Amino acid sequence: MGNQLDRITHLSYSELPTGDPSGLEKDELRVGVAYFFSDEEEEGGAADDRTPSSDCGFTAKERSPGRGEGRGEAVEVVGEKGDDEEDEEEEEAEEGDEAGGPFAVSEVEYTAFCAHECIFSKLREHEDLSVYSVKTLLAMCKPGDLLELVAAAQAPHWAVYERGEQVIHLHRGEIRKDSLLDVGGGRRGRIVNNRYRYRPLPHDLVMQNAAGHVGLSGREVCWNNSESFAAWCRFGKREFKAGGEVFSAEQQQQQYFLKVHLSGSGVHTLVFRSLEDMIRERRRVDASGILKELSLVGGRKE
């Protein structure tokens, strides 16, 4: 794990939470522990920052995720398409480019909880997950808005909108101010102010948080990815920082539950000891299209 060792706060599996925080084990709850320490985020130079593929996974109509097969095996989230279907979707995407959107993109959906409180929601049934061309998105933004840029087989890239075409974001270990037109790189985007369910700060304070950190790099940066930085700017919660949740032996350890909603495969629940660990795993799933179930226990899906 190389330079990731300094991030690990526990090495014994006996320390890892594997059950319901209420102490009641429920048959219908499929719980697991997933801790991934990888170099795929911005600080290592990044899945988040790769050049998108030609079609970026956007279509004029929604595609259903693929189905997983078998417990203890990888669940493939995005199904493969035939050549004719790919050609047709590329043509539809090109037509949509001229209009600027909205576009549909095949995505994994999630909800997340801390204890019994919902802290994150990305469900198509509850919100519009359409994305737009960068130029169209710029016309929709207000200063302090959180933006999410998405493409197939990539972790989403988050940024704080400033003014004009400018956004502030974490990119390859540096907090920068750039043109959204340059940052987009062929991706589409949307405003995600309400993705996290925490109480937001006033927009002027969001702007102050973002602008006050422009130019920081390397060890000066205390966020592991663009999403954590942008979310911290909006909500100001230390849990978004790397190592922001530190508990003494006397304090009760919080648990975070990530529910991964897979079409045709039910809901899979993973348990984490920190918000940052949960964000890291969710972004890994978005980048790879694969939910690794090797650490899941119980053998049931909800």
Side-chain angles (χ1 to χ4, degrees), residues 170-203:
L170 174 60
H171 173 74
R172 296 185 181 274
E174 179 183 1
I175 298 175
R176 306 161 47 111
K177 182 190 294 188
D178 291 304
S179 167
L180 183 60
L181 297 174
D182 295 332
V183 174
R187 292 174 285 199
R188 305 290 184 263
R190 57 193 165 211
I191 298 171
V192 288
N193 291 338
N194 299 318
R195 185 66 57 80
Y196 285 95
R197 300 306 178 89
Y198 299 117
R199 182 187 298 275
L201 300 172
H203 277 226

Side-chain angles (χ1 to χ4, degrees), residues 17-22 29-32 111-117 119-120 254-260 268-274 278 302:
T18 56
D20 183 24
S22 66
L29 183 63
R30 183 187 178 102
V31 221
T111 50
F113 298 81
C114 182
H116 299 291
E117 178 185 3
I119 62 171
F120 179 95
Q254 287 191 114
Q255 288 184 330
Y256 293 87
F257 296 84
L258 177 65
K259 294 181 178 291
V260 185
H268 300 260
T269 303
L270 302 171
V271 181
F272 301 88
R273 292 187 63 178
S274 72
M278 186 187 74
E302 293 184 16

Side-chain angles (χ1 to χ4, degrees), residues 115-127:
H116 299 291
E117 178 185 3
C118 180
I119 62 171
F120 179 95
S121 179
K122 179 186 175 183
L123 290 178
R124 199 172 302 277
E125 63 183 272
H126 294 156
E127 63 177 298

Side-chain angles (χ1 to χ4, degrees), residues 56-279:
C56 293
F58 303 105
T59 66
K61 53 187 176 182
E62 185 180 332
R63 290 177 296 179
S64 298
R67 297 189 178 188
E69 296 182 331
R71 183 170 59 89
E73 301 176 355
V75 175
E76 187 171 351
V77 174
V78 181
E80 296 183 355
K81 304 187 297 294
D83 292 339
D84 292 341
E85 184 181 354
E86 286 182 348
D87 292 342
E88 181 180 337
E89 290 177 350
E90 285 181 9
E91 291 175 2
E92 291 172 338
E94 289 174 0
E95 292 174 1
D97 276 339
E98 298 176 0
F103 304 90
V105 59
S106 178
E107 298 177 283
V108 185
E109 299 178 33
Y110 309 91
T111 50
F113 298 81
C114 182
H116 299 291
E117 178 185 3
C118 180
I119 62 171
F120 179 95
S121 179
K122 179 186 175 183
L123 290 178
R124 199 172 302 277
E125 63 183 272
H126 294 156
E127 63 177 298
D128 182 9
L129 296 180
S130 298
V131 293
Y132 300 84
S133 69
V134 168
K135 289 184 178 180
T136 300
L137 184 62
L138 282 171
M140 302 165 62
C141 294
K142 298 182 297 184
D145 281 347
L146 298 193
L147 308 182
E148 180 185 45
L149 300 173
V150 300
Q154 292 188 31
H157 189 81
W158 287 46
V160 178
Y161 176 70
E162 191 185 43
R163 290 179 180 85
E165 297 177 356
Q166 299 298 302
V167 295
I168 297 172
H169 63 129
L170 174 60
H171 173 74
R172 296 185 181 274
E174 179 183 1
I175 298 175
R176 306 161 47 111
K177 182 190 294 188
D178 291 304
S179 167
L180 183 60
L181 297 174
D182 295 332
V183 174
R187 292 174 285 199
R188 305 290 184 263
R190 57 193 165 211
I191 298 171
V192 288
N193 291 338
N194 299 318
R195 185 66 57 80
Y196 285 95
R197 300 306 178 89
Y198 299 117
R199 182 187 298 275
L201 300 172
H203 277 226
D204 57 344
L205 189 51
V206 176
M207 296 289 297
Q208 180 179 321
N209 284 342
H213 291 81
V214 171
L216 295 186
S217 62
R219 293 185 178 274
E220 298 174 310
V221 176
C222 51
W223 298 272
N224 286 327
N225 53 70
S226 60
E227 178 178 337
S228 294
F229 170 68
W232 176 84
C233 290
R234 179 165 174 80
F235 302 104
K237 294 185 69 66
R238 69 180 184 182
E239 288 86 348
F240 286 108
K241 294 185 176 183
E245 295 179 85
V246 179
F247 297 89
S248 67
E250 293 77 20
Q251 289 177 301
Q252 183 177 0
Q253 178 71 57
Q254 287 191 114
Q255 288 184 330
Y256 293 87
F257 296 84
L258 177 65
K259 294 181 178 291
V260 185
H261 300 253
L262 300 178
S263 176
S265 299
V267 178
H268 300 260
T269 303
L270 302 171
V271 181
F272 301 88
R273 292 187 63 178
S274 72
L275 179 61
E276 189 59 28
D277 285 341
M278 186 187 74
I279 292 172

